Amino acid sequence: MSNFAQSKPVSVADLEKIALDKLPKSVRAYYEGGAEDEITLRENISSLQRYRVVPRYLVDVGSDKLDVRSRPIWGKRQNFPFAVGPSAFHRLAGYDGELDVARAAAKRGISMGLSSSSTSNLEDVIEAGQVARSQIDVETQKYNKVYDLVDSDWWQQLYVSNIRSDTEEFIHRSERAGYTALLITIDRPYLGRRHSYLREKFELPPHLRRASGDKMAQDPSMHWDELIPWLRSVTRMKILVKGVLHPEDAALAIKHGLDGIVVSNHGGRQLDAAPATIDALPCIADVIRGRIPIFFDGGVRKGIDVFRALALGADIVLLGRAVLWGLAAGGEEGVGLTLDIIAEEFRLVMALAGITDVTQIKRSTLALVNPYQVGLVHLPDPVWEDKRSR
């Protein structure tokens, strides 16, 4: 029987309400909370909402014309330009935690980033996804009339410890299991000041543990010139740094030959009053110029948010709390509903905007609401040559 026979959620906001009503107070505070006054946490959402989509009409947007796949990421077009982002402690939400998330994502050919603070073994997560994928009937693998689904990719988030032997062992373990990229978190040299945590210290309940990365926390002394060469020496996986907000750090990512970056402020949980990620994104995209993929997270709750991030320079949008709300609301079914809602919203936004392919989603498809100016501020496309393949 469906978990949603009575409630019939039609949006991520509906799933969030169901989830928050079900979760214990301490878990709700952990998932919801941000740093200090939670300015950045709120602005991750409110800044997205300042951007308006300016549609074009009399365009052939028949269902056989719409192609919602991402631009090529390391030579492969993802089925959608969004993926499950890494977030900690899924089993706090109940059900099978990360295993349910993996199953829901894999059945839809949506890639997944796993947190090193997972409450499920990293091997079990990728196996659960692969088994779920293999059991899908061939007919259900066609998501639209344009293309067949490709398999999900699996990415591992990582805190690099000052005990490098532990980190190296974890990297090799992830590589053996089938993960193809490392998302190296760089924005947590120290834990942000989180008021809910200070008022009531958060601890995992006795029946749960950090199954994937219980030995690791970010080394506060690591730096560009030391970290990246060391990572290259121990793995062949793709390497991305997660937590880029400054254009100069984007330039350093290019200089050091990284395979991508993640524009992120840790969900507003680290430095309060750091910029909302959507506000940081355009300047970073102007530095990257399509030379490496830009992943993006922060405040994404709707398909239109995915569109906004792509227009401002992202290649892949990572879903964080939206997935947790689906999981807490209804396990695998709830996660699947979250992903389906965002996919359908995104497809509809494309069609209503007169867009048939993600390569057409550019800055000029957006306008900015400025309360100090009459009318909308229309955004010009960048003048630099976009190096991304189509």
Side-chain angles (χ1 to χ4, degrees), residues 331-370:
E332 180 189 334
E333 182 187 5
V335 176
L337 186 55
T338 293
L339 299 175
D340 289 343
I341 287 171
I342 292 175
E344 183 53 37
E345 288 175 342
F346 177 71
R347 182 184 284 106
L348 183 59
V349 170
M350 278 185 60
L352 293 180
I355 299 291
T356 60
D357 187 279
V358 295
T359 61
Q360 301 165 9
I361 303 175
K362 300 177 181 179
R363 283 187 203 176
S364 55
T365 62
L366 299 182
L368 187 61
V369 176
N370 183 345

Side-chain angles (χ1 to χ4, degrees), residues 283-302:
C283 287
I284 290 171
D286 287 346
V287 171
I288 297 298
R289 299 185 181 185
R291 289 175 286 182
I292 56 176
I294 297 176
F295 290 25
F296 169 92
D297 69 23
V300 177
R301 302 293 188 273
K302 299 174 68 65

Side-chain angles (χ1 to χ4, degrees), residues 71-83:
R71 290 175 180 268
I73 306 298
W74 308 310
K76 175 182 175 181
R77 295 190 73 175
Q78 299 285 318
N79 297 306
F80 295 97
F82 61 84

Side-chain angles (χ1 to χ4, degrees), residues 132-152:
R133 179 73 173 135
S134 68
Q135 293 173 345
I136 299 176
D137 183 83
V138 173
E139 286 303 310
T140 68
Q141 294 185 25
K142 288 200 172 185
Y143 223 91
N144 64 26
K145 298 177 182 179
V146 180
Y147 57 88
D148 292 337
L149 289 181
V150 297
D151 288 339
S152 308

Side-chain angles (χ1 to χ4, degrees), residues 9-26:
V10 298
S11 67
V12 172
D14 288 346
L15 290 166
E16 179 180 358
K17 184 178 185 305
I18 295 168
L20 294 179
D21 287 344
K22 293 173 65 174
L23 288 171
K25 179 182 176 182
S26 61

Side-chain angles (χ1 to χ4, degrees), residues 51-56 307-308 310-312 353 355 360-367 378-381:
Y51 290 93
R52 300 291 185 263
V53 177
V54 184
R56 299 293 303 273
F307 187 101
R308 289 162 167 150
L310 296 181
L312 295 177
I355 299 291
Q360 301 165 9
I361 303 175
K362 300 177 181 179
R363 283 187 203 176
S364 55
T365 62
L366 299 182
H378 289 265
L379 304 184
D381 289 325

Side-chain angles (χ1 to χ4, degrees), residues 120-362:
S120 303
N121 287 327
L122 64 89
E123 295 88 354
D124 294 343
V125 172
I126 199 168
E127 181 182 6
Q130 290 171 343
V131 169
R133 179 73 173 135
S134 68
Q135 293 173 345
I136 299 176
D137 183 83
V138 173
E139 286 303 310
T140 68
Q141 294 185 25
K142 288 200 172 185
Y143 223 91
N144 64 26
K145 298 177 182 179
V146 180
Y147 57 88
D148 292 337
L149 289 181
V150 297
D151 288 339
S152 308
D153 289 324
W154 304 90
W155 308 317
Q156 178 67 65
Q157 178 271 338
L158 177 65
Y159 293 107
V160 175
S161 167
N162 58 355
I163 305 174
R164 291 299 168 85
S165 58
D166 288 346
T167 302
E168 182 174 354
E169 178 186 349
F170 183 77
I171 290 171
H172 291 161
R173 182 181 161 198
S174 301
E175 198 163 9
R176 287 193 302 270
Y179 294 83
T180 58
L182 291 173
L183 312 182
I184 307 296
T185 295
I186 60 173
D187 60 4
R188 214 188 85 165
Y190 300 98
L191 186 67
R193 186 175 172 84
R194 304 172 188 175
H195 289 176
S196 62
Y197 182 91
L198 293 172
R199 294 188 184 104
E200 184 177 350
K201 184 178 179 181
F202 173 80
E203 292 182 349
L204 282 175
H207 67 286
L208 296 179
R209 65 184 182 89
R210 289 177 174 86
S212 291
D214 50 7
K215 296 182 180 179
M216 282 178 286
Q218 183 178 326
D219 178 3
S221 67
M222 69 186 192
H223 57 86
W224 288 97
D225 292 334
E226 176 270 334
L227 176 65
I228 308 306
W230 179 78
L231 288 168
R232 289 292 187 203
S233 74
V234 297
T235 185
R236 295 181 178 178
M237 283 192 280
K238 303 292 185 183
I239 298 173
L240 300 83
V241 288
K242 180 178 180 292
V244 175
L245 292 172
H246 199 294
E248 291 186 14
D249 283 340
L252 285 169
I254 293 290
K255 175 183 175 182
H256 287 274
L258 290 179
D259 300 298
I261 61 170
V262 185
V263 176
S264 174
N265 56 31
H266 216 105
R269 295 164 71 84
Q270 280 298 102
L271 176 63
D272 200 22
T277 46
I278 198 67
D279 292 331
L281 179 59
C283 287
I284 290 171
D286 287 346
V287 171
I288 297 298
R289 299 185 181 185
R291 289 175 286 182
I292 56 176
I294 297 176
F295 290 25
F296 169 92
D297 69 23
V300 177
R301 302 293 188 273
K302 299 174 68 65
I304 198 170
D305 296 334
V306 175
F307 187 101
R308 289 162 167 150
L310 296 181
L312 295 177
D315 297 294
I316 291 291
V317 175
L318 300 177
L319 308 176
R321 288 182 176 92
V323 170
L324 293 175
W325 302 145
L327 176 64
E332 180 189 334
E333 182 187 5
V335 176
L337 186 55
T338 293
L339 299 175
D340 289 343
I341 287 171
I342 292 175
E344 183 53 37
E345 288 175 342
F346 177 71
R347 182 184 284 106
L348 183 59
V349 170
M350 278 185 60
L352 293 180
I355 299 291
T356 60
D357 187 279
V358 295
T359 61
Q360 301 165 9
I361 303 175
K362 300 177 181 179

